[in-house]
Amino acid sequence: MVRSHGWQPDVLGRGYEQLTLPLADDSEGEVVATLVRRRGLPLELPGHGPAHGIDVLYVHGWSDYFFQTHLADYWHDKGARFFALDLRKYGRSLRPHQTPGFVTDLGEYDEDIEAALAAMGHSPHDDLGGRSLVLMGHSTGGLTMSLWAARHPHRTRGVVLNSAWLEFQASAIGRQAITPLTRAEARLNPRAPMPNVDLGFYTRAVSKAAGEGEWEYDDAWRPVRGFPVHPAWLSAIFSGQARVAAGLDIQAPVLSMMSDRSTIAPRWSTAMRSSDSVLVVDDIAARSLKLGGTVTVARVPGALHDVFLSAPPAREAAMAAITRWLSGYAPN
């Protein structure tokens, strides 16, 4: 197992630090996760700000890592302390000997999340003087954090989801039809390569280098057409989505955000600049109601799959939605 050497300067530059979190070895060898924090005290004075007294833990999606500093700035400006977790085999945590993003059960991430929470002072035995924990997840990270919150009902005071991958793009019927074949292949050849259905349109919509978007990031950590998909990983996703479909009963208030429309097509369309070209947002909105008893669904006009990588009006609307949600459910 590798050893952590304390907080170090992060690739995001001034104002950000990273902490390597050693985890138990798996079949591929050494495993780590990486916690990133925005330095500096929250801008809001004590007792003020809708997020005063809150610590936020953000988890990225598939073929992704944390680089959205403007999201950290938003939470910081509202009075929260912001942390982001690069899960095992992603981004800062990806090692040369590893299959990118590969797990066989989303529950494996419990170790990553617990290590991050311990570093933040949110282990079950910590007392932070009343500081509250809000979980935030994008896409696959949203699915992962939803499942974790349901399994640990008293650990978080709120969950914010950004286009969480709560249902398969081909609908529940498609997922149920494919699941037996996927499980069989996962048993026989868990790391077999599967056809890549990502045509790179989402990358085109967000990447400055691709000419359509405004964002710059590391293509090795966020490839143009995503990491290769494997049967065991997809089987883990289907199992998680099936649990959502059956109902999770998250006890904390949930805010589930997504675009107001999807554009999923075999050819590039300019509509992909202002819609979700990855998931079927109507299905995600419907599945959100299965998460718990207190769920707010916010449809963001003109948003991309990652609503915080959208054009300024959409991402400002998403941040305004969080602020409104905090006004009613802020866990202070």
Side-chain angles (χ1 to χ4, degrees):
M1 179 181 289
V2 298
R3 178 180 299 176
S4 175
H5 296 287
W7 290 98
Q8 303 291 324
D10 187 64
V11 296
L12 294 176
R14 185 177 179 180
Y16 290 87
E17 294 179 328
Q18 65 169 267
L19 178 67
T20 299
L21 305 173
L23 306 174
D25 294 357
D26 70 2
S27 60
E28 294 186 317
E30 291 182 342
V31 181
V32 302
T34 309
L35 187 64
V36 180
R37 69 179 178 187
R38 189 195 191 284
R39 294 187 58 190
L41 295 174
L43 293 184
E44 294 286 351
L45 296 174
H48 298 81
H52 171 72
I54 292 174
D55 290 343
V56 177
L57 178 61
Y58 169 89
V59 172
H60 57 82
W62 170 247
S63 295
D64 207 352
Y65 73 103
F66 174 70
F67 65 92
Q68 297 88 338
T69 56
H70 57 290
L71 179 59
D73 290 342
Y74 163 81
W75 282 104
H76 179 269
D77 292 348
K78 292 296 181 286
R81 299 195 306 183
F82 182 88
F83 300 81
L85 179 62
D86 277 11
L87 297 168
R88 63 182 67 198
K89 305 183 183 183
Y90 285 99
R92 300 163 179 82
S93 308
L94 180 60
R95 299 298 185 261
H97 63 274
Q98 294 175 332
T99 303
F102 184 79
V103 293
T104 60
D105 188 323
L106 296 181
E108 293 179 40
Y109 292 131
D110 280 17
E111 185 183 8
D112 309 47
I113 295 168
E114 290 292 355
L117 293 178
M120 294 167 58
H122 282 275
S123 74
H125 309 293
D126 287 323
D127 180 5
L128 284 179
R131 294 197 68 84
S132 299
L133 175 67
V134 169
L135 303 177
M136 187 171 192
H138 168 55
S139 198
T140 309
L143 173 61
T144 298
M145 295 304 254
S146 296
L147 295 168
W148 189 91
R151 292 195 302 270
H152 302 83
H154 304 297
R155 299 284 299 281
T156 183
R157 299 287 297 279
V159 179
V160 178
L161 303 177
N162 170 9
S163 303
W165 194 16
L166 303 179
E167 186 53 271
F168 187 50
Q169 292 89 318
S171 78
I173 294 175
R175 170 174 52 79
Q176 292 164 357
I178 298 172
T179 291
L181 298 175
T182 304
R183 286 179 177 171
E185 184 64 21
R187 289 192 296 269
L188 294 173
N189 194 355
R191 290 186 175 84
M194 300 185 73
N196 189 349
V197 297
D198 186 343
L199 300 177
F201 298 151
Y202 178 49
T203 294
R204 181 173 174 177
V206 301
S207 170
K208 186 175 182 178
E212 302 283 348
E214 62 177 288
W215 307 101
E216 296 179 298
Y217 48 80
D218 191 329
D219 288 335
W221 291 349
R222 187 185 167 104
V224 172
R225 297 184 61 192
F227 294 132
V229 172
H230 306 280
W233 175 84
L234 187 57
S235 180
I237 296 295
F238 285 168
S239 293
Q241 291 172 341
R243 289 195 288 275
V244 172
L248 289 187
D249 194 26
I250 295 174
Q251 296 297 299
V254 178
L255 171 62
S256 184
M257 297 183 293
M258 71 286 302
S259 181
D260 61 335
R261 61 195 176 105
S262 294
T263 305
I264 300 177
R267 295 183 179 179
W268 168 258
S269 165
T270 56
M272 294 176 180
R273 297 173 180 166
S274 58
S275 59
D276 192 324
S277 59
V278 178
L279 299 181
V280 179
V281 292
D282 288 346
D283 289 349
I284 302 307
R287 276 289 177 259
S288 296
L289 302 181
K290 289 284 192 175
L291 295 174
T294 305
V295 178
T296 302
V297 175
R299 304 290 292 265
V300 182
L304 299 175
H305 177 52
D306 185 336
V307 299
F308 297 106
L309 297 184
S310 306
R315 64 178 184 262
E316 289 167 7
M319 292 175 184
I322 297 177
T323 303
R324 288 194 301 272
W325 179 78
L326 286 170
S327 70
Y329 297 106
N332 294 332

